[in-house]
Amino acid sequence: MRIPSNSSRSLTSLIQSFIQTRNPEFAVRAVDSITHYRPPPHDPGDGAREFIWACNSLISALVRSKNHNLAVSAYKNMTLVEVRPDYSTLIPLMACFCDARKIGFAFGVLSLVLKRGFVVNALFLNLLLKGLVRARDVDGAIELFRGMEKDQILPDTVTYNTLIDGFCKAERVEEALLLWGEMRERECRPSVVSYSLVIGGLCKVNRVDEAMRLLEEMRLEGLEADVVLYTTLLKGVCESGSIDRGFEVLGEMESRGIPPNVITYTCLIQSLCKVGQWGKAREVLDTMAQRGIRPDVVTYTGLIDNFCKNGKVKQAMELFSWMEENGERPNDVTYAVLMDGLCKDGLVREASLFLEKMVSRGVTPDVMFYNILIKALCSTGEVDEAMELFRTMKGGKFVVESDVWTYSALIDGLCKIRCVDDALELYEEMVSEGKTGNLVIYNLLIGGLLKNSEIDHGMELKKEMIDRGFKPDHVTYMIMIDGFSKIQMFDRAEGLLREMRTNGLVPAVGHYNALMTALCDKHNMDHAMRIFQKMKNEGCEPTVITYNTLIDGTCKTGNLRAAKELLMEMLGKGLAPDDITYATLINKFSKLGEMEEAQRLLEKMIVSGLSPDVMVYDPLLKGYSALGDTGKVIDLLHRMAAKNIVLDMNMKSTIINCLCAAGKDSKILDSLPNFLSETTKEVDFSFTELLKGLNKSPLEAQVEAT
């Protein structure tokens, strides 16, 4: 049966309407129209040929407009009416599958090309290579490339560019350079794009000098760098920490008549912000304005983000206002970055007001904004306010669908304030809404129940978690080991270490530390040392935190010999003691009156580059005072003053007691230094106010100081 000419013309008309207007309605109608007509298998005539042409044109148009799903539907409909796509259609069809990362379907098209007897050339294979690279399957791409060579399909510049791009993005620069050399040997002349890709790859792995040399080589080849290449190079040198060279690149591109664009300036501004050169960043922003280059939302958002990350929320807010005054409309990312910055700076109330301001401006907040605010409220203990916001979110002016992360933040907040029953109710509400709990939520609930000593309930939840397909991970076991240890169920905690290995998980140092910390707190040092030995036997290397925990435990039980042995073992493993290690040992030796050893540790601490604080000086002052060594007390006070040690109330009390114990020797009083107040570094904290206390009893002096 011959197709009526008006039917093919109808389909052609729909396709032309779609191409002209990009109206999806025309595209859908055109795809549906294909199955209404079936051309005869032989000698179809003019109407059928027009119909086949229309179908092929439709697929090409859909691919060009990125309507991949409709393009695939059109292809399926063509096969249903026994219309074969022609060679010119198979190319965009393969491109469609590659863009959609459906590589299996793309290879299916290749098979179809081979079956139809069409010539497979570099164009087809370049599309497949591009698809594999986009899917981050660089190894698959190089395998296909070597297959091309065996089939004597000659690669072109696009082939090499695609592979080099893939290897550079995967930071496999050496392999990219090998292809670069091979490309030149085969006389595939590199283009500006080729140089841009290699230069970008070198910059990404901080090989900036090589990138600069490649730029010179490119010029010798008679190729002129464009704004994209210069911007790539500028970004690379800035990210390597050489912003001055970034300005040199900027100057060079301007001297060669290549005007920087908004992306160039944005890269420079963001790099300046990352190293805290806010003034220079503002100057670059002003330069942009003077040259008529208007900063876009990406520029402003990047700046605002950097201000927020560096604790300069006030400047971020000012820039946000300036952005609006200059007519640049913030996007959702801008609002989210600023809200997150306010919350992280502790300005949760201001963030709430900012959310209200957004709504008043007609911006409809989505779940991301509410999650930022809810998480911040929970982290500051304002869980009631977070719950109120959650209810407003679900039933207010703008009904916003909560997600698992909303519930996760609220459950975490409730568990932290030990409202585990409320957290469980919220979990049930989440499940009733059809949202499946994740491992994070189960971990939070199990931890909350163990903190409340609700062991049976916690283990029931663990079983439910496993039944639902969630396998306990290192975090799960960390929470359970810590929970059981804190309620002194040490055997259960130790059993979990064995269970981890049974389940294919290797316990980390944190799992052992949690158990040892609880054992040391209960002065159960024999058990703690057995766990310590077991940990080493199983190949888990202790850390400074491990040794600090055990040293503190042995000191509390008075076993200084064991503490010294642990310190020596720690040093033997190449682990440097930290301020906590020294503070623990100095405190214990001072209390026992072994001041020579305490002083030796203080000197060693200073030599190692650590700065003693009040936690170190306090026991030393008390120790020397107890021995009546006033000279050492005064010496320590001068040391503290020279280091501008800020005094807290406990330290002031200690100093008063030490001075009162020293008596009323005027020479001692004349030798006392001045300190900075703990409330402000602009007001001297003088011993004058304490001298009055020397005429009083120690108790009266201490009361006056506090």
Side-chain angles (χ1 to χ4, degrees):
M1 183 181 73
R2 191 177 295 274
I3 298 176
S5 59
N6 61 333
S7 298
S8 59
R9 280 196 290 271
S10 174
L11 178 58
T12 305
S13 176
L14 282 170
I15 294 168
Q16 289 173 342
S17 298
F18 166 62
I19 293 170
Q20 291 170 1
T21 64
R22 290 288 186 269
N23 188 330
E25 181 186 345
F26 289 127
V28 173
R29 284 170 58 194
V31 171
D32 289 341
S33 296
I34 293 173
T35 54
H36 295 166
Y37 318 111
R38 182 186 297 275
H42 303 292
D43 190 22
D46 293 340
R49 279 195 291 271
E50 189 175 343
F51 174 73
I52 294 168
W53 175 87
C55 291
N56 285 311
S57 299
L58 176 60
I59 289 179
S60 299
L62 289 167
V63 171
R64 285 196 302 273
S65 61
K66 305 295 182 184
N67 286 289
H68 296 138
N69 290 334
L70 278 175
V72 174
S73 296
Y75 171 69
K76 288 179 179 177
N77 287 350
M78 284 174 69
T79 59
L80 287 173
V81 297
E82 299 178 7
V83 173
R84 291 185 175 187
D86 60 22
Y87 186 77
S88 62
T89 305
L90 290 171
I91 293 174
L93 190 62
M94 179 178 278
C96 168
F97 286 128
C98 289
D99 285 344
R101 290 184 171 83
K102 295 180 178 179
I103 305 301
F105 290 113
F107 274 98
V109 176
L110 178 62
S111 299
L112 189 61
V113 170
L114 294 169
K115 284 179 184 177
R116 298 275 176 85
F118 293 129
V119 176
V120 178
N121 56 19
L123 174 60
F124 262 105
L125 293 173
N126 285 347
L127 288 170
L128 275 174
L129 289 173
K130 186 179 178 182
L132 288 164
V133 166
R134 281 189 175 180
R136 299 187 179 180
D137 185 5
V138 189
D139 292 321
I142 199 71
E143 186 180 344
L144 177 65
F145 172 65
R146 296 308 175 197
M148 287 172 61
E149 293 179 310
K150 289 178 183 177
D151 292 335
Q152 297 184 341
I153 301 172
L154 295 177
D156 56 16
T157 303
V158 175
T159 311
Y160 281 105
N161 284 353
T162 304
L163 289 167
I164 289 168
D165 183 37
F167 279 115
C168 287
K169 283 177 178 173
E171 295 189 15
R172 293 163 63 174
V173 179
E174 288 301 329
E175 290 164 276
L177 291 173
L178 287 173
L179 284 166
W180 173 256
E182 183 182 315
M183 176 184 185
R184 298 175 70 86
E185 287 172 7
R186 290 194 169 186
E187 298 184 356
C188 283
R189 191 167 185 264
S191 63
V192 174
V193 174
S194 311
Y195 278 99
S196 295
L197 292 171
V198 179
I199 286 171
L202 288 167
C203 289
K204 199 172 183 180
V205 294
N206 204 21
R207 291 164 65 171
V208 179
D209 290 333
E210 290 176 67
M212 296 291 281
R213 285 197 296 271
L214 205 58
L215 178 64
E216 290 303 319
E217 179 189 307
M218 175 182 163
R219 291 194 186 116
L220 293 174
E221 292 285 339
L223 294 171
E224 280 299 323
D226 58 11
V227 67
V228 175
L229 193 150
Y230 272 114
T231 301
T232 301
L233 188 58
L234 182 144
K235 183 180 180 182
V237 296
C238 287
E239 287 182 351
S240 70
S242 181
I243 296 177
D244 289 340
R245 287 180 79 177
F247 277 101
E248 288 174 12
V249 173
L250 181 68
E252 182 179 328
M253 67 185 291
E254 289 177 323
S255 68
R256 290 181 175 272
I258 302 169
N261 60 20
V262 66
I263 300 172
T264 316
Y265 283 116
T266 299
C267 290
L268 194 55
I269 289 167
Q270 289 181 346
S271 298
L272 287 165
C273 289
K274 282 179 183 176
V275 295
Q277 295 188 29
W278 312 107
K280 277 194 174 182
R282 189 59 185 261
E283 286 175 16
V284 174
L285 200 62
D286 292 338
T287 302
M288 286 178 69
Q290 291 166 10
R291 296 186 177 182
I293 301 172
R294 182 175 172 175
D296 61 11
V297 67
V298 176
T299 311
Y300 283 112
T301 302
L303 267 171
I304 290 168
D305 186 38
N306 276 293
F307 276 129
C308 290
K309 283 177 179 175
N310 287 276
K312 297 179 177 290
V313 182
K314 182 181 177 183
Q315 290 90 329
M317 290 296 291
E318 288 173 358
L319 186 62
F320 177 79
S321 299
W322 198 60
M323 170 185 180
E324 291 189 307
E325 287 168 11
N326 282 273
E328 192 63 40
R329 186 180 178 85
N331 60 19
D332 285 353
V333 178
T334 318
Y335 284 116
V337 162
L338 200 46
M339 270 192 68
D340 191 50
L342 288 166
C343 289
K344 285 179 178 174
D345 206 47
L347 303 171
V348 184
R349 295 295 172 197
E350 287 79 356
S352 297
L353 292 171
F354 189 68
L355 182 64
E356 292 175 10
K357 186 178 180 180
M358 281 173 55
V359 174
S360 68
R361 291 182 174 185
V363 179
T364 305
D366 61 13
V367 67
M368 174 178 63
F369 295 100
Y370 283 102
N371 285 352
I372 290 170
L373 199 49
I374 286 170
K375 184 178 179 182
L377 287 166
C378 288
S379 66
T380 57
E382 299 173 90
V383 184
D384 289 340
E385 289 84 347
M387 287 299 298
E388 186 179 339
L389 182 62
F390 173 64
R391 298 303 174 197
T392 302
M393 168 185 171
K394 296 186 74 175
K397 182 180 177 182
F398 300 105
V399 177
V400 178
E401 181 71 23
S402 56
D403 59 18
V404 174
W405 300 111
T406 318
Y407 284 101
S408 177
L410 289 166
I411 288 170
D412 184 31
L414 289 165
C415 287
K416 280 178 179 173
I417 60 173
R418 294 185 179 271
C419 293
V420 186
D421 290 339
D422 293 334
L424 288 166
E425 283 182 20
L426 199 61
Y427 169 69
E428 293 299 330
E429 180 182 323
M430 182 189 82
V431 173
S432 68
E433 290 180 358
K435 297 179 177 68
T436 306
N438 58 21
L439 190 58
V440 173
I441 290 177
Y442 278 114
N443 286 345
L444 292 170
L445 289 170
I446 291 168
L449 288 165
L450 290 178
K451 281 179 184 176
N452 274 12
S453 299
E454 297 182 50
I455 301 159
D456 292 339
H457 198 165
M459 293 303 97
E460 284 172 14
L461 204 60
K462 177 192 171 188
K463 183 178 181 303
E464 178 188 315
M465 175 183 80
I466 294 169
D467 290 342
R468 292 194 173 182
F470 295 104
K471 189 178 179 181
D473 62 0
H474 280 83
V475 176
T476 315
Y477 280 105
M478 184 71 206
I479 287 167
M480 291 192 294
I481 290 168
D482 185 59
F484 279 119
S485 297
K486 284 179 177 174
I487 56 178
Q488 299 182 55
M489 296 184 72
F490 301 122
D491 290 341
R492 291 286 294 270
E494 195 171 348
L496 287 167
L497 290 171
R498 292 191 294 271
E499 184 183 304
M500 283 184 74
R501 291 189 176 277
T502 303
N503 291 337
L505 296 173
V506 178
V509 65
H511 298 97
Y512 291 103
N513 284 350
L515 178 53
M516 285 186 285
T517 299
L519 287 165
C520 290
D521 286 344
K522 298 301 175 185
H523 307 299
N524 196 343
M525 291 308 302
D526 289 340
H527 195 170
M529 292 305 293
R530 284 200 304 273
I531 296 296
F532 179 56
Q533 191 58 50
K534 181 181 179 181
M535 170 186 172
K536 292 190 290 184
N537 292 343
E538 291 180 349
C540 185
E541 287 297 317
T543 63
V544 172
I545 295 172
T546 312
Y547 283 105
N548 284 349
T549 300
L550 294 170
I551 288 170
D552 183 52
T554 51
C555 284
K556 284 177 180 175
T557 58
N559 192 349
L560 285 183
R561 180 180 175 182
K564 286 181 181 179
E565 287 174 357
L566 284 164
L567 179 62
M568 294 308 295
E569 181 181 323
M570 178 182 176
L571 293 168
K573 285 184 175 290
L575 295 172
D578 62 10
D579 48 359
I580 296 173
T581 319
Y582 284 110
T584 301
L585 289 166
I586 289 169
N587 180 48
K588 191 61 183 178
F589 281 113
S590 297
K591 283 182 178 178
L592 293 174
E594 297 188 27
M595 298 310 297
E596 286 187 15
E597 184 68 21
Q599 186 69 33
R600 187 184 68 80
L601 286 165
L602 174 67
E603 301 305 331
K604 194 169 183 179
M605 180 181 184
I606 294 168
V607 168
S608 67
L610 297 171
S611 300
D613 59 8
V614 291
M615 297 298 292
V616 173
Y617 283 113
D618 189 272
L620 285 167
L621 288 169
K622 288 175 179 174
Y624 281 121
S625 179
L627 294 177
D629 194 340
T630 306
K632 285 289 187 182
V633 170
I634 299 301
D635 178 60
L636 284 174
L637 291 174
H638 276 280
R639 278 193 178 198
M640 292 167 64
K643 293 291 184 181
N644 287 333
I645 301 294
V646 178
L647 307 182
D648 58 17
M649 294 311 299
N650 288 330
M651 177 54 83
K652 286 183 183 179
S653 176
T654 297
I655 293 170
I656 291 170
N657 286 333
C658 291
L659 294 177
C660 288
K664 302 179 182 180
D665 189 340
S666 60
K667 291 181 181 179
I668 293 173
L669 302 181
D670 291 340
S671 66
L672 293 176
N674 287 338
F675 284 87
L676 295 176
S677 169
E678 82 281 3
T679 54
T680 172
K681 292 191 177 182
E682 295 175 359
V683 180
D684 279 345
F685 171 73
S686 172
F687 277 105
T688 304
E689 61 186 84
L690 300 180
L691 297 184
K692 301 174 187 176
L694 297 180
N695 296 317
K696 301 181 176 66
S697 68
L699 179 61
E700 289 174 324
Q702 189 169 344
V703 169
E704 182 172 307
T706 56

